[in-house]
Amino acid sequence: MEELKKAIVDNLYITNFYEALTNIKQLEVNFPNTEETLFFYYYLYDLMSLVSRNKQDASCDEIEKSKDEYLKKIVQRNQNDKSQSYLQLYLFLKENFTKFDHFTWFKKYEKEKDLLNHALQENPNNLDAQFYLLFITKENKKCFDFLMENKLDIQIVEKFINNLLYKDEYLDDVQKLMKKYNLTTEQSELFYKKEKKDYKSLYCYFNKDKERKNKYLHIITYGKVCIELKKYDEAIGYYENKEPKKNDDYFMLGKCYEQQNNVLYYRPQLKG
């Protein structure tokens, strides 16, 4: 199915509508119960309509009628919920048509915004549509506020967080959001503390369980924490006991000995 879907999308991008129609019919025959067929038919006629309008083609009205027919079928499939139908069309567009930057004629952003506005016209209380409208305009701070004030599906929140997880400016906002939606894990807490340079808390974390000290964690290691806190004796113990050692471990071990010696042989100058 995925190869067939890719072929449809690729042909729609290059306005090869005949091949796209052939692919959609194949999808319909091979997978008769998939609702994706309806969405593909809708976008086939939507894009054909866009092209025909630009060319001032006489067939534009007929194409629009076909597009409306498939919209009606999608709405019927959603128990006549038009708002949800427009939202599904937006999500389908977002997930399947991912190369829009290379096809300016496609007007994906305008389509997304239009579909979400239609969803809100049908139901102003559609929270998902409200959020996605903020999301596509990249108003991230407003997205955080909206998700904190309202309760949305966990998958929506996870996708949003994954887009911003490694951006320092949103570190605290992501942490608050994860706590609200019960998405925090041991790994996410470690990552947050590491990014906030909260080495004292990390030191306590490792020392609560001796096994943690020798456990290699991709996010942060006990040796690194000890170095940041200038606990060079403990850092040396960590790197000497670590097996197998990597080149970076030998480097860190040497750095610890060097820093330790600097501390041992440092003598403050006496005044006068």
Side-chain angles (χ1 to χ4, degrees):
M1 181 193 284
E2 293 307 313
E3 289 183 8
L4 203 50
K5 284 169 59 178
K6 184 180 183 304
I8 296 168
V9 171
D10 289 344
N11 281 316
L12 287 174
Y13 272 133
I14 60 176
T15 65
N16 192 341
F17 297 132
Y18 176 78
E19 287 296 328
L21 178 59
T22 302
N23 294 146
I24 295 170
K25 286 181 177 178
Q26 286 179 306
L27 184 68
E28 193 171 22
V29 170
N30 295 333
F31 305 95
N33 295 320
T34 179
E35 64 178 4
E36 292 178 321
T37 303
L38 292 178
F39 293 127
F40 275 128
Y41 272 124
Y42 174 87
Y43 282 112
L44 169 68
Y45 289 109
D46 177 65
L47 295 171
M48 286 175 66
S49 175
L50 177 62
V51 172
S52 65
R53 279 199 305 272
N54 289 338
K55 293 182 177 180
Q56 297 183 335
D57 198 311
S59 62
C60 185
D61 289 342
E62 286 302 314
I63 294 171
E64 281 288 339
K65 285 181 183 178
S66 297
K67 173 183 167 182
D68 291 341
E69 284 302 313
Y70 280 103
L71 176 60
K72 287 178 184 177
K73 291 180 181 180
I74 293 168
V75 171
Q76 287 172 358
R77 200 163 179 132
N78 281 297
Q79 288 78 47
N80 294 319
D81 188 337
K82 282 189 176 182
S83 181
Q84 193 61 22
S85 299
Y86 282 120
L87 180 63
Q88 285 184 354
L89 280 165
Y90 159 77
L91 292 172
F92 187 81
L93 181 68
K94 191 82 175 172
E95 288 179 25
N96 291 279
F97 296 86
T98 57
K99 301 177 184 176
F100 68 98
D101 286 336
H102 305 291
F103 299 88
T104 53
W105 76 270
F106 191 77
K107 301 184 183 298
K108 184 183 177 187
Y109 174 72
E110 287 82 355
K111 290 182 189 300
E112 289 179 348
K113 200 170 180 181
D114 190 50
L115 288 166
L116 291 172
N117 280 322
H118 277 305
L120 290 172
Q121 284 171 9
E122 296 295 337
N123 178 11
N125 296 318
N126 189 326
L127 293 179
D128 289 2
Q130 288 180 39
F131 169 75
Y132 282 122
L133 200 54
L134 292 172
F135 178 73
I136 64 171
T137 52
K138 298 182 180 178
E139 299 186 67
N140 291 326
K141 281 293 184 181
K142 289 184 179 179
C143 285
F144 278 114
D145 292 340
F146 187 85
L147 291 173
M148 289 298 292
E149 292 169 6
N150 302 282
K151 193 76 173 178
L152 269 68
D153 187 274
I154 201 76
Q155 290 183 334
I156 294 174
V157 181
E158 285 178 323
K159 284 182 179 179
F160 176 64
I161 286 174
N162 289 337
N163 284 332
L164 302 171
L165 192 59
Y166 300 104
K167 295 185 178 180
D168 291 342
E169 61 183 303
Y170 301 118
L171 198 62
D172 291 331
D173 292 315
V174 166
Q175 185 70 2
K176 289 176 186 175
L177 207 54
M178 290 179 77
K179 285 184 177 179
K180 176 180 177 176
Y181 286 86
N182 297 317
L183 291 172
T184 52
T185 63
E186 185 176 10
Q187 296 296 307
S188 69
E189 289 287 341
L190 288 174
F191 174 78
Y192 177 70
K193 289 175 181 176
K194 176 215 166 189
E195 293 299 306
K196 297 294 287 186
K197 295 181 170 43
D198 186 2
Y199 296 112
K200 287 184 179 179
S201 293
L202 288 167
Y203 182 78
C204 292
Y205 166 82
F206 281 108
N207 278 280
K208 280 182 181 178
D209 186 344
K210 290 183 179 179
E211 290 184 5
R212 290 176 181 171
K213 292 183 178 182
N214 298 319
K215 186 178 179 182
Y216 176 74
L217 299 173
H218 178 69
I219 297 170
I220 190 74
T221 64
Y222 182 59
K224 172 69 174 173
V225 170
C226 290
I227 289 173
E228 293 293 338
L229 294 174
K230 296 181 171 54
K231 296 179 182 292
Y232 299 115
D233 287 342
E234 291 182 58
I236 288 169
Y238 169 81
Y239 287 109
E240 283 187 338
N241 293 325
K242 185 182 175 187
E243 293 295 341
K245 290 184 179 65
K246 296 179 180 179
N247 289 338
D248 189 56
D249 296 323
Y250 289 107
F251 171 77
M252 298 302 288
L253 191 54
K255 183 178 177 181
C256 289
Y257 278 119
E258 181 183 355
Q259 293 297 326
Q260 187 187 53
N261 288 336
N262 288 340
V263 172
L264 288 174
Y265 294 113
Y266 171 72
R267 294 289 184 270
Q269 291 182 350
L270 298 175
K271 293 182 179 179

